[in-house]
Each structure stands twice: as structure tokens, then as C-alpha cells.
Amino acid sequence: MNVKLFIIFVCFTLFIGFPERGYAENSSAAMKNQTDNLISLSDQVFHYSIAKQDKAAASLLNELSEKWNHSLDLYSEKEQQVIGTSIVKLKVLLKTQANQQEIADAAASLRLGFDALQNEGTPMWKEKRSDIMKPLSRMNTALKNKKQEYYQYELNQFLNEYAIIYPALIIDGQPDMVTLLDQRITTLTNHRLEDITESKRIRQLNRITDDLNRLFKQSRNGKEENTMGLMPIIGGIVVTVLAYVSWVRYTAERKRRARIH
């Protein structure tokens, strides 16, 4: 086997051995284009909602829903369920002419959910960090000052803000961290009216604060991890080709010298 044939063989092996990578790249490009279109529509729905133009928001939401339903095969089952539920929720609120703040919050939640489908850049839900953390801090202060009514009010504020980012967290957050956080918040709210010492509630709040801080600090590194996993394979093939070429040249040089002598 000469050098050219060997190189052709290696290239053929790459083509046969990694067809799914080429398919994945095409699929990824299609998903990115579709996601960008969906994000653009959800952004328009959000702006119509906060402008209190409910009819226009409902019309665009129907268009968004149709496009989403025609692209479900590009997304995971979890993403389908989360986005689908958010769309239905906003449709119901618009149809029943609910409180305008509820509509705006649901539209914001849907917008953040679609943004979370992206695999690059900083997700928009992280921009809500201050809105989430401030009520927690004020709850802590209220408990230390033994102001229960103030504590309950800030708890409601926190739960409203958490509900807005929750769909995005389900899609984009680390599942084990989101599950643990959800359990802590559920425990806190289920026992909000029980006679529990301030010190215990403060410990609960501190755990929730720590969990949220970890979630807000997490990074999107799936793409980099995939690339790093492929690099050793490519590097090994390159080294093998170079070693073979060097060996062929070495043996040819030895034969040439042998003939001369």
C-alpha cells in the first residue's frame, strides 16, 4: 500500500466511521435556524403582551404554535413538553382575558423558554438573577425582624419570579440541581403557614439561595465537550498517517542506499 492509497483509506474510514457527525451538524444547523425563527416570534408575542395588545399577541401566538408543532422532531421530549405547556398556558390567559400582569409574565416565561433552547451564548433567564435573589434577601431580613406579613408578601414575589424562569430552568439547567431546588422551594411553600422557628426558615432560605447561585453560575459547555471528545480521535489518525509516511520514506531511503553500495 503506497502513501496515497493509505491516505484515501483513512479518509474513507473517517467518512464511514462518523456519518452521524455529518448528520448531526446538518441537524444542528436546521435546529438553529428554526430556533432563531421561533425566538423571533416569541419575542414579538412578548412585546405585544406587555403593550396590552392581546388580539395581536394571540394571533402571533397561534402562528408560533403552528411553527412549533411542525418542528417537534428537532427537539427533545422534555423540551416539547415544557414549551407546549407554556404555549397552552398563554393561550388560555389571552382567551380568558386574564389579569394583564399574568399575561405579561406568561409571555415572558415563554420567551425565556424558547431562548433556553439555544446551545450558545448567555441564556436570557440569567438576566433575571436580581429579580429572583432580591425577594429572597428581603425574606431573610423579614424573618430576622420577625415581620411575618412582610415575609409572606416577599415569598409571593419570589414565587412569581421563579415561575417565570422555571420553564427555562427545566430546559437549560442541570436536571439534578433543578430537581433539588424545586424540592426545597416546594417544602418551603407547603409549610409557609406552619409555626416554624425563624432560624429553621432562614436555613431553608440559605439553601435555596446557594442552589440558585450555583444554577446562575453554570455554563453551557456541551458543544465544547463534544469537540474535545473528537479531538483525540482526529489527533490519533493524523499521528498515524505521519508515522506511516515517515516509515515509508525511511524504508525507501534504506533500499536506495543499499542499491548504491
Side-chain angles (χ1 to χ4, degrees), residues 105 131-132 135-136 138-139 148-164 185 188-189 192-193 205:
D105 288 347
D131 295 333
I132 294 289
L136 278 175
R138 291 193 290 262
M139 287 163 65
Q148 272 299 316
E149 290 186 6
Y150 188 41
Y151 167 80
Q152 296 295 341
Y153 171 80
E154 291 298 338
L155 175 55
N156 288 336
Q157 296 297 110
F158 166 73
L159 293 175
N160 288 340
E161 294 296 337
Y162 181 69
I164 292 174
I185 293 175
L188 182 71
T189 54
R192 63 185 297 173
L193 298 178
L205 291 179

mmCIF file of all heavy atoms in Angstrom, residues 105 131-132 135-136 138-139 148-164 185 188-189 192-193 205:
data_model
loop_
_atom_site.group_PDB
_atom_site.id
_atom_site.type_symbol
_atom_site.label_atom_id
_atom_site.label_comp_id
_atom_site.label_asym_id
_atom_site.label_seq_id
_atom_site.Cartn_x
_atom_site.Cartn_y
_atom_site.Cartn_z
ATOM 1 N N ASP A 105 -46.392 38.032 32.343
ATOM 2 C CA ASP A 105 -45.469 37.082 32.974
ATOM 3 C C ASP A 105 -45.411 35.772 32.182
ATOM 4 O O ASP A 105 -44.329 35.197 31.992
ATOM 5 C CB ASP A 105 -45.899 36.794 34.411
ATOM 6 C CG ASP A 105 -45.645 37.970 35.346
ATOM 7 O OD1 ASP A 105 -44.912 38.893 34.937
ATOM 8 O OD2 ASP A 105 -46.182 37.965 36.468
ATOM 9 N N ASP A 131 -33.891 39.851 40.027
ATOM 10 C CA ASP A 131 -35.322 39.777 40.343
ATOM 11 C C ASP A 131 -35.643 38.579 41.231
ATOM 12 O O ASP A 131 -36.597 38.618 42.017
ATOM 13 C CB ASP A 131 -36.138 39.678 39.052
ATOM 14 C CG ASP A 131 -36.009 40.925 38.199
ATOM 15 O OD1 ASP A 131 -35.755 42.003 38.766
ATOM 16 O OD2 ASP A 131 -36.146 40.829 36.966
ATOM 17 N N ILE A 132 -34.846 37.520 41.090
ATOM 18 C CA ILE A 132 -35.069 36.306 41.882
ATOM 19 C C ILE A 132 -34.446 36.437 43.269
ATOM 20 O O ILE A 132 -35.054 36.061 44.287
ATOM 21 C CB ILE A 132 -34.464 35.082 41.161
ATOM 22 C CG1 ILE A 132 -35.215 34.800 39.860
ATOM 23 C CG2 ILE A 132 -34.483 33.852 42.070
ATOM 24 C CD1 ILE A 132 -36.603 34.262 40.041
ATOM 25 N N PRO A 135 -35.993 39.240 46.395
ATOM 26 C CA PRO A 135 -37.042 38.826 47.333
ATOM 27 C C PRO A 135 -36.538 37.846 48.391
ATOM 28 O O PRO A 135 -36.971 37.911 49.551
ATOM 29 C CB PRO A 135 -38.084 38.156 46.421
ATOM 30 C CG PRO A 135 -37.862 38.771 45.086
ATOM 31 C CD PRO A 135 -36.385 38.984 45.000
ATOM 32 N N LEU A 136 -35.617 36.961 48.015
ATOM 33 C CA LEU A 136 -35.043 36.028 48.993
ATOM 34 C C LEU A 136 -34.322 36.780 50.101
ATOM 35 O O LEU A 136 -34.449 36.455 51.284
ATOM 36 C CB LEU A 136 -34.071 35.064 48.292
ATOM 37 C CG LEU A 136 -34.676 33.859 47.588
ATOM 38 C CD1 LEU A 136 -33.584 33.093 46.854
ATOM 39 C CD2 LEU A 136 -35.388 32.937 48.570
ATOM 40 N N ARG A 138 -34.862 39.870 51.033
ATOM 41 C CA ARG A 138 -35.837 40.604 51.853
ATOM 42 C C ARG A 138 -36.616 39.655 52.765
ATOM 43 O O ARG A 138 -37.004 40.038 53.877
ATOM 44 C CB ARG A 138 -36.778 41.394 50.944
ATOM 45 C CG ARG A 138 -36.092 42.563 50.231
ATOM 46 C CD ARG A 138 -37.094 43.502 49.595
ATOM 47 N NE ARG A 138 -37.755 42.908 48.448
ATOM 48 C CZ ARG A 138 -37.392 43.131 47.180
ATOM 49 N NH1 ARG A 138 -36.367 43.925 46.907
ATOM 50 N NH2 ARG A 138 -38.046 42.567 46.181
ATOM 51 N N MET A 139 -36.843 38.423 52.312
ATOM 52 C CA MET A 139 -37.492 37.423 53.162
ATOM 53 C C MET A 139 -36.621 37.131 54.374
ATOM 54 O O MET A 139 -37.110 37.009 55.514
ATOM 55 C CB MET A 139 -37.730 36.135 52.364
ATOM 56 C CG MET A 139 -38.848 36.237 51.335
ATOM 57 S SD MET A 139 -38.771 34.902 50.102
ATOM 58 C CE MET A 139 -39.085 33.475 51.141
ATOM 59 N N GLN A 148 -43.812 38.749 59.890
ATOM 60 C CA GLN A 148 -44.376 37.641 59.133
ATOM 61 C C GLN A 148 -45.122 38.101 57.880
ATOM 62 O O GLN A 148 -45.031 37.468 56.821
ATOM 63 C CB GLN A 148 -45.308 36.821 60.020
ATOM 64 C CG GLN A 148 -44.612 35.717 60.807
ATOM 65 C CD GLN A 148 -43.950 34.685 59.919
ATOM 66 O OE1 GLN A 148 -44.529 34.241 58.928
ATOM 67 N NE2 GLN A 148 -42.733 34.302 60.251
ATOM 68 N N GLU A 149 -45.889 39.162 57.998
ATOM 69 C CA GLU A 149 -46.657 39.632 56.844
ATOM 70 C C GLU A 149 -45.722 40.052 55.704
ATOM 71 O O GLU A 149 -45.983 39.758 54.536
ATOM 72 C CB GLU A 149 -47.558 40.800 57.237
ATOM 73 C CG GLU A 149 -48.721 40.398 58.134
ATOM 74 C CD GLU A 149 -49.675 41.565 58.390
ATOM 75 O OE1 GLU A 149 -49.478 42.639 57.782
ATOM 76 O OE2 GLU A 149 -50.608 41.388 59.198
ATOM 77 N N TYR A 150 -44.661 40.742 56.072
ATOM 78 C CA TYR A 150 -43.670 41.159 55.079
ATOM 79 C C TYR A 150 -42.996 39.942 54.452
ATOM 80 O O TYR A 150 -42.756 39.889 53.245
ATOM 81 C CB TYR A 150 -42.638 42.071 55.758
ATOM 82 C CG TYR A 150 -41.666 42.735 54.811
ATOM 83 C CD1 TYR A 150 -42.090 43.258 53.597
ATOM 84 C CD2 TYR A 150 -40.322 42.863 55.154
ATOM 85 C CE1 TYR A 150 -41.203 43.877 52.736
ATOM 86 C CE2 TYR A 150 -39.430 43.479 54.299
ATOM 87 C CZ TYR A 150 -39.868 43.980 53.095
ATOM 88 O OH TYR A 150 -38.992 44.587 52.246
ATOM 89 N N TYR A 151 -42.717 38.943 55.281
ATOM 90 C CA TYR A 151 -42.114 37.692 54.793
ATOM 91 C C TYR A 151 -43.025 37.010 53.779
ATOM 92 O O TYR A 151 -42.585 36.580 52.708
ATOM 93 C CB TYR A 151 -41.827 36.766 55.968
ATOM 94 C CG TYR A 151 -41.509 35.340 55.555
ATOM 95 C CD1 TYR A 151 -40.239 34.995 55.104
ATOM 96 C CD2 TYR A 151 -42.496 34.351 55.604
ATOM 97 C CE1 TYR A 151 -39.956 33.689 54.710
ATOM 98 C CE2 TYR A 151 -42.212 33.053 55.216
ATOM 99 C CZ TYR A 151 -40.944 32.729 54.763
ATOM 100 O OH TYR A 151 -40.678 31.442 54.372
ATOM 101 N N GLN A 152 -44.322 36.902 54.103
ATOM 102 C CA GLN A 152 -45.276 36.241 53.214
ATOM 103 C C GLN A 152 -45.415 37.000 51.886
ATOM 104 O O GLN A 152 -45.525 36.387 50.815
ATOM 105 C CB GLN A 152 -46.646 36.128 53.896
ATOM 106 C CG GLN A 152 -46.667 35.259 55.141
ATOM 107 C CD GLN A 152 -46.370 33.795 54.863
ATOM 108 O OE1 GLN A 152 -46.487 33.330 53.733
ATOM 109 N NE2 GLN A 152 -45.991 33.055 55.900
ATOM 110 N N TYR A 153 -45.404 38.313 51.954
ATOM 111 C CA TYR A 153 -45.501 39.135 50.738
ATOM 112 C C TYR A 153 -44.287 38.892 49.839
ATOM 113 O O TYR A 153 -44.424 38.678 48.626
ATOM 114 C CB TYR A 153 -45.583 40.608 51.113
ATOM 115 C CG TYR A 153 -45.479 41.534 49.924
ATOM 116 C CD1 TYR A 153 -46.580 41.773 49.105
ATOM 117 C CD2 TYR A 153 -44.273 42.161 49.613
ATOM 118 C CE1 TYR A 153 -46.479 42.614 47.994
ATOM 119 C CE2 TYR A 153 -44.160 43.001 48.509
ATOM 120 C CZ TYR A 153 -45.271 43.217 47.704
ATOM 121 O OH TYR A 153 -45.163 44.037 46.612
ATOM 122 N N GLU A 154 -43.098 38.917 50.414
ATOM 123 C CA GLU A 154 -41.883 38.713 49.619
ATOM 124 C C GLU A 154 -41.782 37.276 49.101
ATOM 125 O O GLU A 154 -41.232 37.038 48.018
ATOM 126 C CB GLU A 154 -40.638 39.051 50.455
ATOM 127 C CG GLU A 154 -40.493 40.523 50.781
ATOM 128 C CD GLU A 154 -40.340 41.392 49.527
ATOM 129 O OE1 GLU A 154 -39.939 40.877 48.472
ATOM 130 O OE2 GLU A 154 -40.626 42.603 49.612
ATOM 131 N N LEU A 155 -42.328 36.334 49.850
ATOM 132 C CA LEU A 155 -42.362 34.952 49.375
ATOM 133 C C LEU A 155 -43.201 34.856 48.107
ATOM 134 O O LEU A 155 -42.832 34.171 47.147
ATOM 135 C CB LEU A 155 -42.920 34.028 50.467
ATOM 136 C CG LEU A 155 -43.132 32.555 50.077
ATOM 137 C CD1 LEU A 155 -41.851 31.928 49.540
ATOM 138 C CD2 LEU A 155 -43.650 31.755 51.274
ATOM 139 N N ASN A 156 -44.345 35.542 48.090
ATOM 140 C CA ASN A 156 -45.183 35.562 46.881
ATOM 141 C C ASN A 156 -44.434 36.184 45.695
ATOM 142 O O ASN A 156 -44.531 35.711 44.566
ATOM 143 C CB ASN A 156 -46.480 36.327 47.140
ATOM 144 C CG ASN A 156 -47.430 35.564 48.044
ATOM 145 O OD1 ASN A 156 -47.370 34.344 48.127
ATOM 146 N ND2 ASN A 156 -48.297 36.280 48.738
ATOM 147 N N GLN A 157 -43.698 37.267 45.975
ATOM 148 C CA GLN A 157 -42.909 37.911 44.928
ATOM 149 C C GLN A 157 -41.867 36.959 44.364
ATOM 150 O O GLN A 157 -41.667 36.868 43.151
ATOM 151 C CB GLN A 157 -42.215 39.165 45.481
ATOM 152 C CG GLN A 157 -43.156 40.262 45.934
ATOM 153 C CD GLN A 157 -43.990 40.816 44.770
ATOM 154 O OE1 GLN A 157 -45.196 40.596 44.681
ATOM 155 N NE2 GLN A 157 -43.327 41.507 43.855
ATOM 156 N N PHE A 158 -41.202 36.245 45.249
ATOM 157 C CA PHE A 158 -40.177 35.280 44.828
ATOM 158 C C PHE A 158 -40.790 34.174 43.981
ATOM 159 O O PHE A 158 -40.247 33.808 42.924
ATOM 160 C CB PHE A 158 -39.492 34.671 46.057
ATOM 161 C CG PHE A 158 -38.671 33.458 45.741
ATOM 162 C CD1 PHE A 158 -37.460 33.569 45.076
ATOM 163 C CD2 PHE A 158 -39.132 32.188 46.080
ATOM 164 C CE1 PHE A 158 -36.706 32.443 44.764
ATOM 165 C CE2 PHE A 158 -38.391 31.050 45.781
ATOM 166 C CZ PHE A 158 -37.176 31.177 45.125
ATOM 167 N N LEU A 159 -41.928 33.627 44.433
ATOM 168 C CA LEU A 159 -42.566 32.531 43.698
ATOM 169 C C LEU A 159 -43.018 32.980 42.308
ATOM 170 O O LEU A 159 -42.932 32.219 41.344
ATOM 171 C CB LEU A 159 -43.761 31.997 44.497
ATOM 172 C CG LEU A 159 -43.409 31.285 45.807
ATOM 173 C CD1 LEU A 159 -44.678 30.907 46.561
ATOM 174 C CD2 LEU A 159 -42.558 30.046 45.542
ATOM 175 N N ASN A 160 -43.496 34.227 42.188
ATOM 176 C CA ASN A 160 -43.892 34.750 40.877
ATOM 177 C C ASN A 160 -42.695 34.831 39.930
ATOM 178 O O ASN A 160 -42.780 34.435 38.757
ATOM 179 C CB ASN A 160 -44.518 36.146 41.028
ATOM 180 C CG ASN A 160 -45.903 36.098 41.650
ATOM 181 O OD1 ASN A 160 -46.566 35.071 41.646
ATOM 182 N ND2 ASN A 160 -46.342 37.219 42.207
ATOM 183 N N GLU A 161 -41.577 35.342 40.437
ATOM 184 C CA GLU A 161 -40.374 35.474 39.610
ATOM 185 C C GLU A 161 -39.803 34.093 39.257
ATOM 186 O O GLU A 161 -39.335 33.876 38.136
ATOM 187 C CB GLU A 161 -39.316 36.306 40.334
ATOM 188 C CG GLU A 161 -39.701 37.753 40.554
ATOM 189 C CD GLU A 161 -39.872 38.523 39.252
ATOM 190 O OE1 GLU A 161 -39.291 38.102 38.229
ATOM 191 O OE2 GLU A 161 -40.586 39.546 39.252
ATOM 192 N N TYR A 162 -39.856 33.179 40.212
ATOM 193 C CA TYR A 162 -39.343 31.829 39.969
ATOM 194 C C TYR A 162 -40.181 31.117 38.910
ATOM 195 O O TYR A 162 -39.640 30.394 38.058
ATOM 196 C CB TYR A 162 -39.349 31.027 41.275
ATOM 197 C CG TYR A 162 -38.808 29.624 41.144
ATOM 198 C CD1 TYR A 162 -37.462 29.407 40.892
ATOM 199 C CD2 TYR A 162 -39.647 28.514 41.274
ATOM 200 C CE1 TYR A 162 -36.961 28.116 40.775
ATOM 201 C CE2 TYR A 162 -39.137 27.233 41.162
ATOM 202 C CZ TYR A 162 -37.803 27.034 40.914
ATOM 203 O OH TYR A 162 -37.318 25.758 40.792
ATOM 204 N N ALA A 163 -41.500 31.345 38.951
ATOM 205 C CA ALA A 163 -42.388 30.720 37.968
ATOM 206 C C ALA A 163 -42.065 31.194 36.542
ATOM 207 O O ALA A 163 -42.215 30.433 35.579
ATOM 208 C CB ALA A 163 -43.846 31.021 38.304
ATOM 209 N N ILE A 164 -41.614 32.445 36.416
ATOM 210 C CA ILE A 164 -41.295 32.988 35.093
ATOM 211 C C ILE A 164 -40.093 32.277 34.477
ATOM 212 O O ILE A 164 -40.080 31.951 33.291
ATOM 213 C CB ILE A 164 -41.037 34.511 35.184
ATOM 214 C CG1 ILE A 164 -42.344 35.239 35.528
ATOM 215 C CG2 ILE A 164 -40.466 35.050 33.867
ATOM 216 C CD1 ILE A 164 -42.164 36.724 35.789
ATOM 217 N N ILE A 185 -37.949 24.471 47.438
ATOM 218 C CA ILE A 185 -38.965 25.530 47.335
ATOM 219 C C ILE A 185 -40.350 24.974 47.646
ATOM 220 O O ILE A 185 -41.162 25.631 48.314
ATOM 221 C CB ILE A 185 -38.934 26.159 45.923
ATOM 222 C CG1 ILE A 185 -37.622 26.922 45.728
ATOM 223 C CG2 ILE A 185 -40.121 27.103 45.731
ATOM 224 C CD1 ILE A 185 -37.435 27.484 44.330
ATOM 225 N N LEU A 188 -40.665 24.654 51.349
ATOM 226 C CA LEU A 188 -40.827 25.974 51.957
ATOM 227 C C LEU A 188 -42.253 26.482 51.822
ATOM 228 O O LEU A 188 -42.842 26.985 52.790
ATOM 229 C CB LEU A 188 -39.855 26.966 51.296
ATOM 230 C CG LEU A 188 -39.850 28.389 51.855
ATOM 231 C CD1 LEU A 188 -39.211 28.418 53.232
ATOM 232 C CD2 LEU A 188 -39.119 29.326 50.905
ATOM 233 N N THR A 189 -42.833 26.358 50.630
ATOM 234 C CA THR A 189 -44.174 26.898 50.385
ATOM 235 C C THR A 189 -45.272 26.045 51.023
ATOM 236 O O THR A 189 -46.283 26.583 51.477
ATOM 237 C CB THR A 189 -44.437 27.016 48.877
ATOM 238 O OG1 THR A 189 -44.199 25.754 48.237
ATOM 239 C CG2 THR A 189 -43.523 28.049 48.254
ATOM 240 N N ARG A 192 -45.522 27.112 54.658
ATOM 241 C CA ARG A 192 -45.324 28.542 54.870
ATOM 242 C C ARG A 192 -46.132 29.095 56.035
ATOM 243 O O ARG A 192 -45.747 30.098 56.645
ATOM 244 C CB ARG A 192 -45.662 29.303 53.581
ATOM 245 C CG ARG A 192 -47.111 29.186 53.142
ATOM 246 C CD ARG A 192 -47.350 29.869 51.804
ATOM 247 N NE ARG A 192 -47.097 31.306 51.873
ATOM 248 C CZ ARG A 192 -47.094 32.112 50.808
ATOM 249 N NH1 ARG A 192 -47.320 31.609 49.604
ATOM 250 N NH2 ARG A 192 -46.877 33.392 50.944
ATOM 251 N N LEU A 193 -47.268 28.468 56.352
ATOM 252 C CA LEU A 193 -48.127 28.974 57.421
ATOM 253 C C LEU A 193 -47.948 28.224 58.741
ATOM 254 O O LEU A 193 -48.621 28.514 59.727
ATOM 255 C CB LEU A 193 -49.595 28.905 56.990
ATOM 256 C CG LEU A 193 -49.962 29.749 55.766
ATOM 257 C CD1 LEU A 193 -51.427 29.558 55.407
ATOM 258 C CD2 LEU A 193 -49.657 31.225 56.010
ATOM 259 N N LEU A 205 -33.950 29.159 53.519
ATOM 260 C CA LEU A 205 -33.697 30.222 52.547
ATOM 261 C C LEU A 205 -32.243 30.221 52.090
ATOM 262 O O LEU A 205 -31.949 30.430 50.903
ATOM 263 C CB LEU A 205 -34.051 31.587 53.136
ATOM 264 C CG LEU A 205 -35.534 31.874 53.386
ATOM 265 C CD1 LEU A 205 -35.697 33.260 54.001
ATOM 266 C CD2 LEU A 205 -36.326 31.775 52.096
#
